[in-house]
């Protein structure tokens, strides 16, 4: 009963004299819109369409080192209604090329623009014309399984917050298998991620990275997980680092005053907790002393542990004495 009343109320409202004129207006407005759309879609336009290219019938003993699916950008001139079918329909979802049709031997092959144009043109309507194809050639690389394992490294802009720094970077996996020609394999010793861009973080950052493509090289896997560990910066001093003499003649011993010195450096809190004086090496080279007339010798900071920066000696020169070892 309530639905019937609602129906009667809506009907009376829509078909009242005032609203009847409005409905007639809407009808003719929609009709004119349909005619405009039909006229518009019947006009000729140019549109760039992206078409995937699939490589098929690859022999089992062949490894494609370029992408199995590449893309070409085709500019087509046709009526608007047909262009819509090319973009959203199944006509140009992909085109296939058999491996045998482009194989040139020697690990390479190519599909020319004319071959691409011919294959795509066959799928167009009678009114469709191809204006251009980019690129003008698809280069294909393959081999019979030659490969090697290489490490991975990140590239890009990864900057923690102020007072933080990257203390360590780990990769999962830390190396990948690359397939390429023998000549190309010999020239590649490391592969890199695509440029990363992370700024202003303080906690451990985990990034899923795609490896930067190299023409004619297939990487397995082609993605890795890179973890950036952060730490809080601090400026500290490590004391009681012994001074050692090197290149001394047999039977000679070097004594410095003081015998132990300090090193100032910047590092993270976690790194500093695990440091000791034995992680540093401060030396005096006898070869630089034997022709010197100075009463002081110059110290050299020869070794510093990983994870520290801006390491400098607090004392650069010290008094010294060279004695016979038998006099000890």
């Amino acid at each position: 009963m309530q639905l019937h009343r609602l129906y009667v109320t809506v009907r009376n409202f829509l078909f009242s004299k005032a609203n009847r004129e409005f409905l007639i207006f809407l009808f003719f407005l929609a009709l004119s819109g349909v005619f405009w759309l039909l006229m518009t879609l019947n006009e000729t336009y140019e549109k760039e369409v992206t078409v995937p290219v699939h490589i098929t019938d690859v022999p089992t003993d062949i490894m494609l080192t370029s992408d199995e699916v590449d893309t070409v950008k085709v500019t087509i001139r046709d009526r608007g209604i047909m262009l819509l079918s090319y973009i959203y329909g199944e006509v140009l979802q992909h085109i296939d090329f058999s491996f045998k049709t482009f194989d040139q031997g020697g690990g390479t092959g190519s599909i020319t623009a004319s071959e691409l144009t011919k294959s795509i043109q066959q799928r167009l309507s009678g009114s469709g014309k191809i204006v251009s194809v980019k690129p003008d050639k698809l280069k294909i690389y393959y081999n019979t399984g030659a490969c090697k394992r290489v490490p991975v490294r990140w590239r890009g802009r990864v900057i923690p917050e102020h007072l933080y720094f990257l203390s360590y970077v780990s990769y999962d996996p830390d190396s990948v298998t690359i397939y390429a020609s023998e000549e190309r394999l010999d020239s590649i010793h490391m592969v890199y991620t695509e440029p990363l861009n992370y700024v202003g973080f303080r906690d451990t950052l985990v990034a899923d990275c795609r490896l930067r493509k190299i023409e004619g090289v297939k990487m397995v896997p082609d993605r890795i997980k890179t973890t950036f560990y952060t730490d809080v910066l601090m400026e500290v001093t490590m004391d009681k680092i012994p001074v050692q003499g090197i290149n001394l003649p047999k039977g000679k011993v070097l004594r410095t005053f003081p015998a132990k010195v300090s090193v100032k450096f910047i590092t993270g809190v976690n790194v500093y907790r695990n440091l000791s004086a034995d992680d540093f090496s401060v030396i005096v080279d006898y070869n630089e002393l034997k022709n010197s007339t100075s009463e002081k010798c110059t110290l050299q900071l020869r070794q510093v542990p990983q994870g520290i920066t801006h390491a400098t000696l607090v004392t650069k020169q010290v008094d010294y004495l060279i004695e016979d070892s038998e006099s000890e």
Side-chain angles (χ1 to χ4, degrees):
M1 189 67 178
Q2 292 180 348
L3 290 176
H4 179 70
R5 289 178 180 176
L6 179 62
Y7 168 74
V8 172
T9 302
V10 172
R11 184 190 64 184
N12 292 337
F13 172 76
L14 291 176
F15 293 97
S16 63
K17 184 176 181 180
N19 289 327
R20 188 181 302 117
E21 294 178 356
F22 179 67
L23 289 174
I24 293 172
F25 168 77
L26 288 180
F27 171 76
F28 283 104
L29 179 64
L31 187 62
S32 63
V34 170
F35 280 114
W36 173 84
L37 181 60
L38 291 175
M39 292 176 61
T40 300
L41 292 178
N42 203 43
E43 294 288 332
T44 300
Y45 302 93
E46 287 187 6
K47 179 67 177 178
E48 186 176 78
V49 181
T50 299
V51 182
V53 179
H54 291 191
I55 306 302
T56 61
D57 303 324
V58 180
T60 55
D61 61 336
I62 293 296
M63 167 72 73
L64 287 180
T65 55
S66 53
D67 292 335
E68 295 182 12
V69 179
D70 213 330
T71 57
V72 293
K73 294 184 178 180
V74 186
T75 301
I76 303 174
R77 182 187 296 118
D78 206 341
R79 291 181 295 124
I81 187 67
M82 298 308 302
L83 289 175
L84 288 177
S85 70
Y86 302 149
I87 297 172
Y88 300 107
E90 298 182 357
V91 178
L92 294 179
Q93 275 196 343
H94 64 83
I95 56 175
D96 298 336
F97 282 90
S98 175
F99 177 83
K100 296 179 181 179
T101 62
F102 65 78
D103 181 20
Q104 299 171 342
T108 63
S110 63
I111 305 173
T112 63
S114 61
E115 292 172 321
L116 291 167
T117 300
K118 180 180 178 181
S119 180
I120 297 172
Q121 184 68 60
Q122 293 173 350
R123 302 190 177 202
L124 304 183
S125 67
S127 59
K129 300 295 180 184
I130 295 178
V131 177
S132 66
V133 176
K134 295 184 293 186
D136 58 0
K137 179 187 293 186
L138 288 182
K139 194 74 172 176
I140 312 298
Y141 298 89
Y142 66 90
N143 73 1
T144 55
C147 64
K148 75 174 184 179
R149 198 83 177 167
V150 294
V152 296
R153 292 293 182 269
W154 70 274
R155 272 188 174 174
R157 185 167 175 258
V158 181
I159 305 175
E161 270 188 14
H162 181 59
L163 298 182
Y164 285 78
F165 79 112
L166 294 178
S167 61
Y168 181 67
V169 180
S170 68
Y171 306 90
D172 183 22
D174 60 0
S175 59
V176 297
T177 302
I178 60 172
Y179 296 83
S181 65
E182 295 287 354
E183 182 181 358
R184 183 62 64 89
L185 287 175
D186 291 341
S187 66
I188 299 175
H189 306 288
M190 190 175 297
V191 294
Y192 297 91
T193 66
E194 290 184 344
L196 305 178
N197 187 21
Y198 298 98
V199 178
F201 62 95
R202 63 170 60 182
D203 297 323
T204 299
L205 172 67
V206 180
D208 185 21
C209 312
R210 183 179 293 277
L211 297 178
R212 184 175 62 86
K213 291 183 178 180
I214 304 174
E215 186 179 27
V217 178
K218 183 180 181 66
M219 305 176 192
V220 180
D222 61 357
R223 303 184 72 98
I224 64 167
K225 183 172 71 174
T226 306
T227 305
F228 298 91
Y229 297 91
T230 59
D231 203 350
V232 181
L233 282 173
M234 59 185 301
E235 186 177 55
V236 292
T237 301
M238 178 68 67
D239 300 320
K240 298 182 179 179
I241 300 174
V243 178
Q244 301 173 340
I246 63 172
N247 297 322
L248 288 163
K250 187 176 181 179
K252 297 292 183 180
V253 63
L254 173 72
R255 301 187 185 280
T256 61
F257 308 95
K260 297 181 178 181
V261 294
S262 301
V263 175
K264 183 185 293 184
F265 54 91
I266 295 176
T267 189
V269 174
N270 294 327
V271 175
Y272 180 69
R273 289 172 181 163
N274 299 315
L275 290 180
S276 68
D278 295 333
D279 296 321
F280 298 82
S281 174
V282 178
I283 61 98
V284 175
D285 190 346
Y286 176 79
N287 291 332
E288 297 182 1
L289 294 179
K290 58 185 179 180
N291 297 322
S292 174
T293 58
S294 174
E295 295 180 355
K296 294 183 178 292
C297 62
T298 301
L299 304 179
Q300 299 178 33
L301 184 57
R302 174 64 62 88
Q303 175 183 312
V304 295
Q306 291 185 348
I308 73 171
T309 59
H310 300 87
T312 58
L313 289 161
V314 175
T315 303
K316 299 284 197 304
Q317 291 186 322
V318 295
D319 295 323
Y320 73 96
L321 183 65
I322 297 177
E323 298 179 339
D324 294 329
S325 58
E326 290 80 8
S327 63
E328 292 182 341

